[in-house]
Amino acid sequence: MSAQKRPLSPHLQIYSKQITSVMSILHRITGVVLAIGSLGLLWVLVVLSLGDAAFSATQACLSSGLGRFVLFAYSACLMYHFFNGIRHLFWDIGKGFAIPDVYRSGYAVIVLSAMSTLGIWWLALQGGAA
Amino acid sequence: MSLRDPLATARGLGSAKTGFGHWWAQRVSAVVLALLTPFVVYCLARYGIADFAALKTQFTNPLFSAVCILYVLALFWHARLGLQVVVEDYVHHGAFEVILQVLVKIVFSFAAVAAVIAIFRLASGS
């Protein structure tokens, strides 16, 4: 069918990357990761409600090296999607569309999500958690 | 109240008619999640994983459980709406797209119900 052969826009092979487009697709990618990861949160809630034996197995799994890595990646995705989502909500009410503002808020999101991810892990490791 | 021009309705022109509902639900759930995520993340980081008993006793506070129920409902609603758009945008293989769309609806409806039941169990302290 000829409809299948239409060129893709933007033409990804020659499309120059900008912080705006990269952050936009990152919002989607982190969104998909978080949606799948939310089923992990459901799992934690379920085993928590099932009692000590069920929870300690999950706890051991999450405390392992791989478990911590997954939790770290999840928290980083969550913080990025959280701050960038707030940026999107401001756009939705018509604020911050000027190009300098878009770049400023973009860099702010990157800095805030990095700092808050470190903050979460500082807090978690302080209490001996994770 | 409809903001659509009556003539547009009569002619049957315009968008697919129900698109705004999806967009609005995505924003409303986003606002709920934006407000509650700091609290949930703080609880998970503060009590999480290692301090099982402390985390569990939090649920006996009805306000805590209510906030958690609101959170999981907004979370799975938001996730389902978001995945729906991602599948619409990137999956263009007829039957596969339909199966994925239905699967997303079923999985996240199930997740929302299961999460609420788990929180009820925790709230009743069983």
Side-chain angles (χ1 to χ4, degrees), chain A residues 4 25 28 31-32 34-36 38-39 41-42 44-52 55 59 62-63 71 74 78-79 81-82 86 88-89 92 120 123-125 127-130, chain B residues 23 27 30-31 33-34 37-38 41-42 44-46 48-52 55-56 59 71-72 75-76 78-79 83 85-86 89-90 107-108 110-111 114-115 118-119 121-122 126:
Chain A
Q4 299 283 336
I25 192 62
R28 285 207 156 185
V32 172
L34 291 168
I36 295 165
S38 71
L39 301 175
L41 182 71
L42 167 70
V44 170
L45 267 175
V46 168
V47 292
L48 196 61
S49 78
L50 287 178
D52 297 328
F55 188 78
Q59 189 175 7
L62 290 175
S63 307
L71 283 177
Y74 187 80
L78 181 60
M79 287 301 100
H81 200 84
F82 171 75
I86 291 172
H88 269 279
L89 287 173
D92 289 336
I120 288 170
L123 188 66
L125 295 173
Chain B
W23 186 90
R27 266 69 193 172
V31 169
L33 292 170
T37 294
V41 166
Y42 174 80
L44 285 173
R46 174 71 183 74
I49 318 303
D51 206 353
F52 174 37
L55 184 64
K56 210 172 171 178
F59 286 93
Y71 188 78
V72 292
L75 176 66
F76 291 123
H78 193 80
L83 283 184
V85 173
V86 169
D89 285 356
Y90 304 119
V107 167
F108 286 92
F110 172 82
I119 293 170
R121 248 180 91 95
L122 288 163
S126 59

